[in-house]
């Protein structure tokens, strides 16, 4: 990227903070496609500096551009756009506030930061009428933030349902299709550059929860933070759960569900939740596998939309970062502005107790007369209607036959019920002597019937 052009157009100065999986690809494409990007922007991009931790590594970038001091880049006169690809919260947060308050546009992929501090960052951007772009923060390469912020700004979004974490989808897809080992598949996802620096963020649902918070905030024009999102990860999902899913012609996906709920008093609230769920094989999201993501948006005027693509990986994510960079750079050339953030609706966040869905409960019970009736009575006592029941005898190894009590595996699929009623039912069953263990409770989503 040159610092001047034959036409004398002032270049748009870019600083990149972090040159890891995503940053490396962003800089590669910036360099390889410099002319095309300049034509689209109306001016060339000029890489002013790259913040890295290790200055000694050869990164294919002019060593003169490398710095271990990201703060030195964010307020430089010759920097117009700051691209943050470091991750984490405590280090990038002050850096990006400083950049925005100096009128630099910010492009970031940092969902953990945005899920907590979008309001503060947006306010800083407004204070100097500069831009905050973050398409890469949710669902990698998939353009879903832009459509929600811009294309659907005139519609009434009712629900956003998606697979928004590539690492867990890669793991669950492998477990479901080949019975792959959880730990080995997670290690492979890290090797492929899908997982966060700490993969706990992925497998315990924190990453998906951060993305759900961002989606809910934009879709419902309200402030939803990661802490507002009900979150379950996938580490408890077992091969037996997949066997059960197959028996029901279902698969298991980690879903992010953001929706407006009508409360009993007629007011609206926002529910945002992330959990592994059974999904019928006929559902469009059931065929989203590997590190792919997909987001289904349901809106009053548009109806149902689905956005699909690679949700993780350095190159796919770089696509979204580069798109934002072009937009931010064009705005610097043309004095335009990115779509703003509006939390005017200020809807309250619903508690999980206000959510109702369907549940698949698996338990080990004594195989003797009256147990089935006892279990059914507990569901009935808590107002949970049973849709299907399945009981199979448990086979014991020869060596355990003499001492083993006849035991059965009992599976109950419910009709729609409240989280509270289901939780109370499970607690009551756990207290029953005839129920030795509740082996799993998984919600069933994507089924329109009650
Ligand atoms: N990997 C992926 O598929 C996606 C990642 N993201 C997000 O993009 C961001 C970057 O992700 P990755 O590139 O995968 O992470 P990474 O861990 O591969 O790269 C981060 C880089 O930033 C550097 N860094 C961290 N703190 C620094 C500091 N104080 N000074 C200088 N350098 C520093 C690290 O040394 C590392 O090279 C994260 O916020 C992540 O959540 C978003 C979408 C997809
Ligand atoms: N670790 C994340 C990266 C993209 O956001 C994921 O697996 O989706
Ligand atoms: Na995206």
């Amino acid at each position: 990227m040159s610092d001047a052009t034959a036409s004398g157009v002032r270049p748009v100065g870019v600083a990149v903070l972090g040159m890891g999986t995503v940053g490396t690809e962003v800089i590669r494409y910036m360099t390889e496609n410099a002319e095309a990007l300049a034509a689209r922007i109306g001016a060339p991009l000029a890489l002013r500096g790259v913040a890295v931790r290790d200055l000694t590594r050869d990164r294919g970038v002019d060593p003169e551009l490398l710095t271990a001091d990201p703060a030195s880049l964010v307020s430089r006169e010759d920097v117009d756009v700051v691209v943050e690809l470091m991750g984490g919260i405590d280090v990038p947060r002050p850096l990006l506030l400083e950049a925005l308050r100096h009128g630099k546009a910010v492009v970031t992929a940092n969902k953990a930061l945005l899920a907590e501090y979008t309001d503060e960052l947006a306010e800083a951007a407004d204070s100097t009428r500069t831009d905050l772009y973050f398409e890469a923060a949710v669902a990698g390469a998939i353009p879903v933030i832009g459509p929600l912020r811009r294309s659907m700004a005139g519609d009434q979004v009712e629900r956003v349902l998606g697979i928004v974490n590539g690492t867990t989808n890669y793991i669950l897809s492998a477990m479901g299709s080949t019975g792959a080992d959880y730990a080995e598949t997670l290690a492979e996802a890290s090797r492929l550059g899908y997982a966060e620096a700490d993969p706990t963020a992925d497998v315990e649902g924190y990453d998906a929860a951060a993305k759900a918070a961002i989606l809910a905030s934009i879709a419902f024009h309200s402030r939803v933070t990661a802490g507002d999102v009900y979150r379950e990860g996938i580490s408890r999902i077992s091969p037996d759960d997949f066997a059960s899913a197959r028996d029901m012609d279902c698969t298991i996906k980690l879903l992010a569900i953001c929706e407006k709920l009508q409360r009993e008093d007629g007011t609206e609230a926002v529910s945002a939740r992330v959990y592994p769920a059974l999904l019928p094989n006929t559902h469009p999201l059931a065929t989203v596998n590997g590190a792919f993501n997909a987001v289904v948006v349901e809106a009053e005027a548009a109806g149902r939309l689905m956005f699909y693509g690679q949700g993780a990986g350095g190159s796919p994510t770089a696509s979204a970062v580069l798109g934002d960079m072009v937009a931010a750079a064009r705005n610097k050339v043309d004095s335009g502005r990115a779509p703003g953030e509006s939390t005017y609706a200020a809807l309250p966040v619903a508690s999980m107790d206000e959510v109702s869905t369907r549940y698949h409960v698996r338990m080990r019970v004594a195989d003797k007369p009256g147990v089935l009736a006892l279990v059914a009575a507990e569901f009935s006592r808590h107002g949970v209607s049973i849709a299907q029941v399945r009981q199979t005898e448990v086979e014991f190894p020869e060596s355990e036959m003499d001492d083993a009590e006849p035991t059965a595996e009992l599976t109950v699929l419910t009709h729609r019920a409240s989280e509270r009623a289901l939780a109370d039912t499970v607690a009551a069953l756990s207290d029953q002597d005839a129920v030795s263990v509740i082996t799993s409770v998984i919600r069933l989503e994507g089924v329109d019937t009650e």
Side-chain angles (χ1 to χ4, degrees):
M1 289 151 281
S2 66
D3 198 34
T5 59
S7 61
V9 174
R10 177 184 178 279
V12 175
V14 176
V16 177
L17 312 184
M19 194 173 171
T21 302
V22 180
T24 299
E25 292 303 294
V26 166
I27 291 174
R28 179 166 72 86
Y29 284 116
M30 276 176 71
T31 308
E32 289 178 5
N33 303 330
E35 279 188 34
L37 295 177
R40 296 172 197 175
I41 294 165
L45 293 175
L47 185 61
R48 301 298 189 198
V50 184
V52 296
R53 277 207 185 107
D54 178 358
L55 294 172
T56 62
R57 267 179 55 195
D58 175 15
R59 301 166 183 268
V61 167
D62 177 355
E64 290 294 306
L65 293 177
L66 301 181
T67 176
D69 177 15
S72 67
L73 296 176
V74 297
S75 51
R76 271 173 52 163
E77 270 301 306
D78 61 352
V79 168
D80 303 293
V81 181
V82 172
V83 181
E84 186 271 316
L85 299 169
M86 299 160 78
I89 292 178
D90 296 341
V91 171
R93 179 183 169 206
L95 291 170
L96 299 191
L97 287 171
E98 180 79 359
L100 292 164
R101 289 168 183 154
H102 278 83
K104 318 305 182 180
V106 161
V107 173
T108 181
N110 194 333
K111 41 280 197 328
L113 175 66
L114 290 161
E116 295 308 319
Y117 296 106
T118 291
D119 54 342
E120 182 185 56
L121 294 166
E123 189 179 330
D126 282 343
S127 71
T128 56
R129 293 187 56 73
T130 190
D131 292 341
L132 173 64
Y133 279 104
F134 48 92
E135 183 59 69
V138 178
I142 305 172
V144 64
I145 298 294
L148 281 173
R149 270 177 126 188
R150 192 180 53 258
S151 316
M152 302 191 76
D155 207 335
Q156 292 290 91
V157 175
E158 297 299 327
R159 194 167 199 248
V160 179
L161 166 75
I163 296 169
V164 297
N165 180 271
T167 299
T168 49
N169 204 45
Y170 183 81
I171 293 168
L172 292 173
S173 304
M175 287 177 71
S177 57
T178 65
D181 174 76
Y182 173 90
E184 286 171 15
T185 316
L186 172 55
E188 181 66 2
S190 288
R191 190 186 65 75
L192 292 169
Y194 300 151
E196 296 301 301
D198 174 2
T200 306
D202 296 291
V203 296
E204 294 309 329
Y206 293 101
D207 183 71
K211 293 164 176 173
I214 294 167
L215 289 168
S217 298
I218 298 172
F220 307 125
H221 304 280
S222 300
R223 176 157 161 66
V224 179
T225 64
D228 292 324
V229 180
Y230 176 84
R231 172 192 54 79
E232 288 180 18
I234 66 162
S235 49
R236 65 179 174 86
I237 298 298
S238 71
D240 285 349
D241 290 322
F242 275 101
S244 268
R246 279 191 291 273
D247 288 347
M248 293 171 58
D249 291 327
C250 287
T251 186
I252 299 174
K253 296 292 183 186
L254 182 71
L255 295 181
I257 304 172
C258 310
E259 59 186 349
K260 278 197 280 193
L261 297 182
Q262 298 298 327
R263 287 179 153 171
E264 285 171 10
D265 64 3
T267 61
E268 286 187 325
V270 171
S271 170
R273 54 200 198 262
V274 163
Y275 43 65
L278 290 162
L279 205 56
N281 289 329
T282 54
H283 192 281
L285 290 180
T287 58
V288 178
N289 290 313
F292 280 76
N293 287 186
V295 178
V296 176
V297 177
E298 294 170 2
E300 182 183 323
R304 176 177 288 187
L305 307 171
M306 184 165 153
F307 302 87
Y308 170 82
Q310 295 189 73
S315 184
T317 308
S319 168
V321 172
L322 288 156
D324 281 350
M325 285 172 66
V326 168
R330 283 182 63 90
N331 287 344
K332 289 300 178 189
V333 171
D334 300 340
S335 307
R337 277 213 70 198
E341 300 312 304
S342 64
T343 57
Y344 75 89
L347 295 179
V349 174
S351 80
M352 198 58 188
D353 280 351
E354 297 179 77
V355 169
S356 70
T357 187
R358 300 186 63 181
Y359 302 85
H360 183 266
V361 184
R362 259 186 326 115
M363 64 195 92
R364 282 286 174 95
V365 298
D367 192 358
K368 59 186 183 185
V371 171
L372 190 53
L374 176 150
V375 168
E378 285 298 355
F379 278 89
S380 168
R381 191 157 67 87
H382 294 91
V384 179
S385 175
I386 292 175
Q388 289 176 27
V389 177
R390 179 189 173 99
Q391 176 166 320
T392 52
E393 282 184 60
V394 172
E395 305 290 329
F396 288 95
E398 192 72 27
S399 59
E400 295 176 25
M401 288 298 281
D402 295 344
D403 304 332
E405 288 290 320
T407 302
E409 169 115 324
L410 190 58
T411 299
V412 173
L413 176 67
T414 75
H415 286 295
R416 185 173 287 277
S418 76
E419 284 279 320
R420 178 75 277 146
L422 201 284
D424 291 346
T425 304
V426 169
L429 288 170
S430 303
D431 290 341
Q432 291 287 349
D433 293 338
V435 178
S436 52
V437 63
I438 303 282
T439 38
S440 93
V441 178
I442 300 184
R443 299 169 184 87
L444 169 65
E445 298 289 353
V447 180
D448 295 335
T449 55
E450 279 306 296

